[in-house]
Amino acid sequence: MLTIAAVVLCTLAGGQPQRGDPSASSVPFTAVTLTDPFWAPRQRANATGTLDQNWTQCEKTGRIENLQRAGDAKTGGYQGYFFNDSDVFKMLEGASNLLARNNDRQLRRRVDKLAGVVSGAQQPDGYLNSYFTIAKPDEKWTNLKDMHELYCAGHLIEAGVAHSEATGRTSLLDTAVRLAACIEAKFGPGKTSGVCGHPEIELALIRLYEHTGDPRHLEMARYFLHERGKGTGRPLLGQYCQDHAPLAEQRQVVGHAVRAMYLYSAATDLARIDGDAPMADALTSLWDNLTLRKMYVTGGIGNSAQNEGFTTDYDLPNESAYAETCASIGLAMWARRMNVLTGDAKYADVMERVLYNAVASGVSLDGCSFFYVNPLAARGGVSRQEWFSCACCPPNVLRLLSSIEQYQYVQRPDGLSVNLYAAGTARPPAWGGAGQITQESRYPWDGRVTLRVEAPADRGEWTLRLRIPDWCRSHSLRVNGSRVDAKVSRGYAELTRRWGRGDTVELVMDMPVQRVVSHPAVSGNAGRVAIRRGPIVYCAEQADNPDGVSNIVLPAESPISEKWEPELLGGVVVLTAAADRQSGVFPSDRLYEPRGEGRPATLRLVPYCTWANRGAGEMTVWLAESPSAGLRAGKAWLTPSVSHCYASDTVDALCDDVWGESSADPKPPRMTWWPRKASEQWARYDFEPVQTVNACTVQWFDDTGRGECAPPESWRLEWTDDGAVWHPVELVAGSTYGIALDTRNEVRFAPVTCRALRLVAQLKPGKSGGIIEWALSRVP
């Protein structure tokens, strides 16, 4: 059973003592100033470009006007999606976080004015949602699954808490409390039974409870969390909405990625408060399933665009990776809470990975444009956008980057844990403003960190815990100039002593360039490596490799050198290596050409988080180590064949892990049976060794309007164990042979152990057919 770590007792704003941890509750470290070379410039861009972009777009797209109309008791004229209030509330939270660090008078006036608009939209009973107030006043609380009312309420509550923390004023907090009271009067035992289709209200109510000390907010959060998957007098909403089974019984991460992360974050807070060991055990199992089977090397999560979430274990395609920015932010939130709950540095290791890579890539260096999805490979044409009609990511970036300091330290009863290394100064709240801790470092570009401790004399003996990252294989420590050998426990080097003012700790972490390989079940990465230095994952980008990156081979024996380039991308360490450019391994401009021996090339790599700041060219994270890692990289265990393939298409396209943006997308390689029409055709995978499979996913090719390919009239799957007799698979209940366009048609069947599997398609009269991708799910 998981041990729940002890956390400090802190005094809340409402004067009520409550068990909680400053880094995860409403009492963050104060007077935090970051000066490091990575986060400081991003925070400056966040306070200008990101904030201004969010504010301008919220005004331009009518999001703020919606709230004004609600406050003016106007009806009709609502603009945008029904959940657009949440973008304004997240922006307010981020702006309040900025005020906490820099009391800018102009920003304070803007925030106060907008907070007044929000409060003015509140109804007499405490209800606040501009969509239902001005567009659907008779439909409040009638569709919790789809309409995001409680989700929007949660973001307002979080904004109210942040505003109160930053300003010491309660105007927006009072609005949040009244809204919480409205919700508490509506839902719960003996009242309306229900949960929101998009979790958020749960973690917001816990945050409100930890700020005010009012147990009613905790009870409401506890009800929503434990009602999920229970279905008291109501139908369950399903996996996508995280309402398919009680959370304490779950062991597999499923459904929508952002919804999962927000729910798990709330459940982790509640497990900490309640000392709920069974819930903590479930969260640990979910964590392991996510980070060991469903997380990209960058920390990105949610591989599928179809459900903005998860599919099967080890299904981690690169070019079609979804990896929504909001999901990465959600993972950072959950990782921080799991670290607070358990005291184990492995959660902070993932938190660091996702912050420096998956989160940081979600915004441009100037803070003015954003990625909604974050692929790990691109053939060009991928760029950040200034805004989106569904604009959840830009304000989420704003509120995360404006609170990055809250991820740096955790205060515990016996001392202080350092989770992130970033130059700057912070004052632990338990020190009563009488002390501070300062970091000096060029991290993540350099592994040397100096910490200066200015602790109050009355603190006595306590433990300073320094996280030794999972990527670090060797480190050294000095205290006041003398080398020490500190015990490393649960990922932390522990230094216990009576700390005095001016004590200095020097931590040196070796930061070599590392080649990272993935689990062999991630078939698209076999024969390939990702390059990491410290916490930074690197990529090859066409801006540095003008001839493209898709045909580069980085030999296993090729040394990789590093160089600090202060004028490039805001200052980064660039990696270079001798490589080979293969003319025939990854067809690009021409579909077929002779395989040459390759020509020497110099490969330049930059941090993944900085890609697409210099144009929308090719990019890849995973690099081939030999020419054999071609289109079918990682698929040595299968051999594709077909009844016929058009000369300009390729059989290998069936299993190259490249999906189309639509069925008509001309960019991905494809396999077509053209010009054969109105006939039975097949595609086949032969296995060596024998494989056990239980599902497959097909994306059909369609060029209607410019050609004669269309989805088949029908199709089926057959398997053989001797190559002579073919048997039909047995579909699981509810599974069908789909022929839908612009989607991935998944078929699940009873597991079969076989030497070959084939897809047999009956082509439509007058039509041929083709496949963009045919992916299999293997049983480990």
Side-chain angles (χ1 to χ4, degrees), residues 448-778:
R448 183 181 299 273
V449 180
T450 299
L451 297 97
R452 304 187 189 282
V453 180
E454 302 284 347
D458 61 357
R459 295 297 295 170
E461 187 176 85
W462 55 275
T463 300
L464 178 65
R465 294 180 175 85
L466 305 176
R467 182 177 63 90
I468 306 303
D470 58 356
W471 52 260
C472 179
R473 298 294 180 262
S474 175
H475 72 278
S476 63
L477 274 168
R478 292 180 181 273
V479 177
N480 296 329
S482 298
R483 186 174 181 119
V484 296
D485 293 321
K487 178 183 73 172
V488 176
S489 176
R490 307 185 80 189
Y492 291 100
E494 297 183 341
L495 299 170
T496 303
R497 56 180 282 144
R498 183 181 293 273
W499 295 92
R501 289 189 174 273
D503 281 345
T504 299
V505 179
E506 294 176 280
L507 170 64
V508 178
M509 296 168 283
D510 286 347
M511 195 176 277
V513 177
Q514 297 173 328
R515 293 177 181 237
V516 178
V517 297
S518 66
H519 191 284
V522 185
S523 57
N525 293 342
R528 298 174 182 270
V529 292
I531 307 301
R532 179 177 67 187
R533 181 179 181 273
I536 302 295
V537 175
Y538 279 75
C539 71
E541 191 177 11
Q542 193 166 10
D544 304 295
N545 303 275
D547 291 336
V549 301
S550 60
N551 58 352
I552 284 283
V553 173
L554 176 63
E557 67 278 5
S558 183
I560 302 174
S561 62
E562 55 192 64
K563 180 183 179 182
W564 170 250
E565 296 195 14
E567 303 303 318
L568 179 66
L569 297 167
V572 295
V573 169
V574 175
L575 306 180
T576 57
D580 294 323
R581 186 172 295 281
Q582 297 290 326
S583 60
V585 178
F586 298 94
S588 180
D589 294 333
R590 288 176 288 186
L591 186 61
Y592 298 110
E593 56 182 88
R595 165 83 57 85
E597 294 301 317
R599 63 182 189 277
T602 298
L603 174 66
R604 279 172 58 90
L605 304 173
V606 296
Y608 169 77
C609 63
T610 66
W611 86 281
N613 277 281
R614 297 169 293 166
E618 293 182 10
M619 182 276 296
T620 187
V621 169
W622 291 93
L623 297 158
E625 281 196 311
S626 69
S628 62
L631 282 176
R632 290 199 297 115
K635 303 286 177 55
W637 50 274
L638 68 76
T639 301
S641 59
V642 294
S643 54
H644 170 78
C645 182
Y646 178 53
S648 294
D649 297 325
T650 172
V651 176
D652 279 346
L654 289 169
C655 49
D656 64 359
D657 288 327
V658 180
W659 300 81
E661 295 180 5
S662 68
S663 292
D665 189 349
K667 295 188 296 295
R670 61 181 181 259
M671 186 288 302
T672 70
W673 291 293
W674 196 85
R676 297 186 180 182
K677 306 174 186 176
S679 57
E680 192 171 85
Q681 301 294 325
W682 53 263
R684 169 175 169 171
Y685 286 152
D686 285 87
F687 306 134
E688 181 58 46
V690 168
Q691 299 291 321
T692 300
V693 292
N694 64 351
C696 80
T697 307
V698 181
Q699 185 178 34
W700 301 108
F701 175 67
D702 180 83
D703 62 358
T704 301
R706 66 177 190 274
E708 296 180 313
C709 286
E713 191 169 69
S714 63
W715 62 288
R716 65 185 187 273
L717 293 170
E718 299 174 338
W719 63 276
T720 183
D721 55 6
D722 60 9
V725 179
W726 290 89
H727 312 277
V729 301
E730 180 183 346
L731 299 188
V732 301
S735 191
T736 60
Y737 289 115
I739 55 173
L741 295 176
D742 305 327
T743 190
R744 303 184 188 188
N745 295 276
E746 184 180 40
V747 175
R748 295 189 173 276
F749 48 88
V752 293
T753 301
C754 56
R755 293 191 177 278
L757 184 76
R758 73 179 179 185
L759 180 160
V760 183
Q762 177 60 52
L763 304 184
K764 294 178 179 178
K767 294 289 186 179
S768 187
I771 297 172
I772 295 177
E773 188 71 15
W774 178 26
L776 301 182
S777 292
R778 293 187 289 169

Side-chain angles (χ1 to χ4, degrees), residues 367-415:
C368 294
S369 57
F370 312 91
F371 276 142
Y372 197 105
V373 301
N374 294 269
L376 277 72
R379 301 189 183 206
V382 180
S383 60
R384 295 178 182 85
Q385 306 298 311
E386 291 184 352
W387 198 247
F388 309 91
S389 58
C390 174
C392 51
C393 296
N396 232 359
V397 168
L398 174 66
R399 70 180 188 137
L400 185 283
L401 291 183
S402 62
S403 61
I404 196 71
E405 305 92 339
Q406 296 183 27
Y407 293 75
Q408 195 168 13
Y409 300 96
V410 171
Q411 190 171 305
R412 298 195 179 278
D414 64 343

